[in-house]
C-alpha cells in the first residue's frame, strides 16, 4: 500500500495531484484545512492537506479488464453536497459503502481511524457540532485519554447525527468498555467488605444487609472483626438493633470460627473488617489469618469516589492477594467527578455492585449497572 500526503490550494487541485500520481483508484484517507505564511498573524494563505493511498495491486489489473470498467471522472472523486465537511473543517469522509469492503480498503479505514486518533491527541483535529463539549466534559471527569480519543474517532463517523443520537452512541461505546451486568448479587452466604479507613465500610455493610433482608427476603446476621475502634462496634450494634439482626464480635480467628458456627443456619452473614492504613501489608495478612476467603464468600472492595485514581489503584494492588468480587464506590454525593470509577472498572475488568450517595440506612444505596455507571458519568446523578 502506498500512502502520500499532498498540499494544495483547494480540493480540486489536490484531486488533480492525486489522480496524476496515484491514479484514479486512489482513496482519500483524510483531509484538513491549513494556513501558511502571513505577517503577525494576518494575511495567512489558506490551503488544504490531503492524505491519499493506493494499493499497488489495484494498478496491476489486466488491461482488458480495465477497459470494461467505467472510467471515473474528477467530478466523481469530488465530494457530493451531502458529504461536504462543515465550514472550516475541511475533512472528507468516505464510508465503506462508497469505497467497498475489500481487505485493502478495510485496512485503509483502520489507518484513517489511527490518523484521527493521533490528530485528536495532538489537538490538530477540529471536532464538529457538540463533540467538543462532550470531549471537554469527559476530560473534566478524568476519563482515560485513550478512551476519549477512541470515542471521538468513533463519533466522527456519524457527523450528521443529532445530539440525542450522538449521546446514545457515546453511551453504548462507553458501556462496551465495561463488563456486562452481573446476573445476580448475594449468591454466596458470606458477604465481606474490605477497604481503607474512612470510606464508610460499616455504613455500607448495614445498607447491604438491609438490601438482602428487605429485597431478597434473606435471614441475615452480622460479624465484625473491627475491634480496633470501639466506635465501629457500637455503630454496627446500633444498625443490628435497627434491622433486628444478631451481631457477633470476633477478636481473633477462634472467635470468628465460633461466630460462623452460630450463624450456620442463616441465609447471609455480613462481615465487617477493620479500616486500617491500606499501605500496611500486615493489615491484609491479618485479614487472611482471620477470614477464610473460600468459594462461599463474596468480597467487596469499598472505595471512595473522593479518592484519586492512583490511590485507588494502590489500594487494589494491596488487596491483590484477596479475590475481589466487586467494587463498591461510596460518597457519590460528595464529588462531581466519576472518571476514576469508570477507569478502574475498564482497566481491571471488575464490576461495581453498588454506589452510595448518602449516610441513610437502608436508603442511599444504588445498584450499579454499566448503564447506571455511564449515565452518572454523562450527567445523571441518581440522587434518589
Amino acid at each position: 500500500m502506498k500512502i502520500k500526503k499532498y498540499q494544495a490550494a483547494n480540493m480540486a487541485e489536490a484531486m488533480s495531484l492525486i489522480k496524476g500520481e496515484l491514479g484514479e483508484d486512489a482513496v482519500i484517507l483524510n483531509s484538513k484545512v491549513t494556513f501558511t505564511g502571513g505577517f503577525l498573524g494576518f494575511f495567512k494563505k489558506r490551503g488544504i492537506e490531503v492524505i491519499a493511498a493506493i494499493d499497488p495491486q489495484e494498478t496491476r489489473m489486466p488491461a482488458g479488464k480495465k477497459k470494461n470498467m467505467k472510467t471515473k471522472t474528477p467530478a466523481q472523486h469530488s465530494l457530493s453536497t451531502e458529504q461536504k465537511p462543515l465550514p472550516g473543517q475541511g475533512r472528507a469522509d468516505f464510508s465503506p459503502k462508497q469505497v467497498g469492503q475489500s481487505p485493502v480498503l478495510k485496512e485503509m479505514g483502520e489507518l484513517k481511524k489511527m490518523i484521527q486518533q493521533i490528530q485528536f491527541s495532538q489537538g490538530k483535529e477540529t471536532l464538529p457540532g457538540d463533540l467538543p463539549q462532550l470531549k471537554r466534559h469527559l476530560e473534566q471527569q478524568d476519563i482515560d485519554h485513550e478512551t476519549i480519543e477512541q470515542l471521538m474517532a468513533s463519533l466522527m463517523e456519524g457527523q450528521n447525527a443529532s445530539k440525542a443520537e450522538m449521546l446514545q452512541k457515546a453511551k453504548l461505546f462507553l458501556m462496551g468498555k465495561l463488563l456486562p451486568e452481573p446476573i445476580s448479587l448475594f449468591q454466596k452466604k458470606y458477604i465481606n467488605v474490605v477497604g481503607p479507613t474512612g470510606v464508610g465500610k460499616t455504613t455500607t455493610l448495614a445498607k447491604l444487609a438491609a438490601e438482602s433482608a428487605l429485597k431478597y427476603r434473606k435471614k441475615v446476621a452480622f460479624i465484625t472483626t473491627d475491634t480496633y475502634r470501639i466506635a465501629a462496634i457500637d455503630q454496627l450494634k446500633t444498625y443490628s438493633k435497627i434491622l433486628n439482626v444478631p451481631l457477633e464480635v470476633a477478636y481473633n480467628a477462634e472467635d470468628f470460627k465460633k461466630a460462623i458456627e452460630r450463624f450456620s443456619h442463616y441465609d447471609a452473614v455480613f462481615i465487617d473488617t477493620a479500616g486500617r492504613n491500606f499501605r500496611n501489608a500486615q493489615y491484609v495478612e491479618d485479614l487472611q489469618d482471620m477470614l477464610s476467603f473460600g468459594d462461599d464468600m463474596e468480597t467487596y472492595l469499598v472505595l471512595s469516589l473522593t479518592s484519586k485514581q492512583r490511590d485507588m489503584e494502590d489500594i487494589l494492588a494491596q488487596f491483590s492477594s484477596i479475590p475481589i468480587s466487586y467494587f463498591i464506590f461510596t460518597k457519590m454525593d460528595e464529588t462531581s467527578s466519576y472518571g476514576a470509577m469508570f477507569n478502574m472498572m475498564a482497566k481491571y475488568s471488575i464490576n461495581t455492585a453498588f454506589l452510595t450517595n448518602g449516610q441513610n440506612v437502608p436508603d442511599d444505596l444504588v445498584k450499579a449497572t454499566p448503564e447506571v455507571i455511564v449515565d452518572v458519568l454523562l450527567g445523571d446523578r441518581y440522587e434518589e
Side-chain angles (χ1 to χ4, degrees):
M1 182 184 298
K2 183 177 181 181
I3 302 175
K4 191 166 182 181
K5 183 190 296 184
Y6 295 87
Q7 298 284 350
N10 50 55
M11 181 59 80
E13 182 180 323
M15 294 299 299
S16 179
L17 292 172
I18 294 169
K19 179 182 176 182
E21 185 168 349
L22 299 183
E24 296 179 348
D25 295 318
V27 175
I28 292 178
L29 297 180
N30 198 74
S31 67
K32 67 176 182 178
V33 174
T34 61
F35 294 91
T36 58
F39 177 72
L40 296 178
F42 298 97
F43 310 111
K44 289 185 177 181
K45 185 178 180 181
R46 180 188 174 96
I48 190 168
E49 178 184 285
V50 180
I51 299 175
I54 185 67
D55 179 16
Q57 294 180 358
E58 297 281 344
T59 62
R60 291 197 292 269
M61 187 180 295
K65 289 187 178 181
K66 281 206 168 188
K67 288 180 181 179
N68 294 327
M69 296 176 64
K70 293 182 179 180
T71 303
K72 296 179 181 179
T73 66
Q76 288 174 309
H77 280 286
S78 62
L79 294 175
S80 68
T81 303
E82 294 180 355
Q83 296 166 334
K84 287 182 181 179
L86 297 175
Q89 187 180 326
R91 186 174 179 278
D93 273 333
F94 286 76
S95 67
K97 290 183 180 179
Q98 292 171 285
V99 299
Q101 290 289 354
S102 71
V104 173
L105 294 177
K106 182 179 179 182
E107 184 178 349
M108 289 181 178
E110 292 172 353
L111 282 171
K112 177 179 176 180
K113 287 186 178 180
M114 291 174 62
I115 292 169
Q116 290 173 356
Q117 289 185 23
I118 292 172
Q119 290 175 327
F120 293 144
S121 63
Q122 295 177 346
K124 296 180 180 179
E125 182 65 74
T126 301
L127 298 173
D130 295 302
L131 291 188
Q133 181 181 356
L134 175 61
K135 184 172 185 284
R136 283 193 302 271
H137 174 76
L138 295 177
E139 288 173 341
Q140 291 168 355
Q141 290 289 314
D142 294 323
I143 290 294
D144 178 74
H145 289 299
E146 183 178 354
T147 298
I148 295 177
E149 291 162 13
Q150 291 173 353
L151 174 59
M152 291 299 108
S154 175
L155 294 178
M156 287 290 285
E157 296 176 4
Q159 293 183 37
N160 295 326
S162 66
K163 184 175 182 179
E165 291 171 335
M166 179 198 72
L167 286 175
Q168 181 63 20
K169 187 174 181 180
K171 181 177 176 179
L172 292 174
F173 177 91
L174 293 171
M175 288 173 59
K177 292 286 185 179
L178 306 178
L179 290 179
E181 179 183 355
I183 297 174
S184 176
L185 300 173
F186 304 138
Q187 289 298 296
K188 298 182 179 181
K189 179 172 182 176
Y190 300 103
I191 311 298
N192 177 41
V193 294
V194 299
T197 183
V199 296
K201 290 194 305 300
T202 301
T203 302
T204 299
L205 190 76
K207 293 177 182 179
L208 297 181
E211 177 86 359
S212 182
L214 300 176
K215 184 174 181 179
Y216 295 92
R217 302 296 180 184
K218 292 189 175 184
K219 185 178 180 181
V220 304
F222 284 128
I223 298 177
T224 180
T225 65
D226 188 0
T227 58
Y228 294 89
R229 295 182 304 124
I230 296 176
I233 297 176
D234 291 339
Q235 183 183 12
L236 197 56
K237 282 182 178 179
T238 300
Y239 290 139
S240 71
K241 290 178 181 178
I242 293 172
L243 298 174
N244 194 28
V245 299
L247 165 68
E248 283 288 329
V249 180
Y251 291 92
N252 51 48
E254 185 64 27
D255 289 341
F256 184 77
K257 184 178 179 181
K258 290 179 180 178
I260 291 294
E261 291 173 354
R262 179 191 170 191
F263 297 138
S264 60
H265 61 288
Y266 280 72
D267 299 321
V269 179
F270 291 84
I271 304 167
D272 193 19
T273 61
R276 295 165 64 186
N277 187 350
F278 68 89
R279 299 186 186 279
N280 186 352
Q282 186 62 43
Y283 168 40
V284 179
E285 293 177 12
D286 291 345
L287 276 177
Q288 291 175 309
D289 290 340
M290 176 79 75
L291 309 182
S292 176
F293 294 90
D295 294 335
D296 204 20
M297 179 178 287
E298 283 182 0
T299 299
Y300 295 77
L301 177 58
V302 183
L303 299 171
S304 170
L305 285 169
T306 59
S307 301
K308 299 176 183 177
Q309 182 176 333
R310 176 63 182 273
D311 289 337
M312 293 182 183
E313 293 186 289
D314 287 346
I315 293 167
L316 180 61
Q318 191 67 31
F319 286 97
S320 60
S321 60
I322 294 175
I324 301 299
S325 306
Y326 302 99
F327 290 132
I328 293 178
F329 286 96
T330 61
K331 304 186 179 183
M332 187 173 71
D333 55 318
E334 297 182 21
T335 183
S336 59
S337 178
Y338 309 104
M341 170 177 61
F342 177 90
N343 295 339
M344 290 290 290
M345 294 175 65
K347 183 175 180 178
Y348 296 102
S349 297
I350 298 177
N351 264 323
T352 294
F354 296 98
L355 306 173
T356 73
N357 54 358
Q359 297 293 316
N360 296 320
V361 178
D363 302 321
D364 298 339
L365 183 72
V366 177
K367 183 180 178 182
T369 65
E371 184 174 12
V372 166
I373 296 297
V374 173
D375 282 346
V376 168
L377 190 67
L378 294 178
D380 290 334
R381 290 287 300 273
Y382 283 84
E383 297 292 354
E384 298 182 358

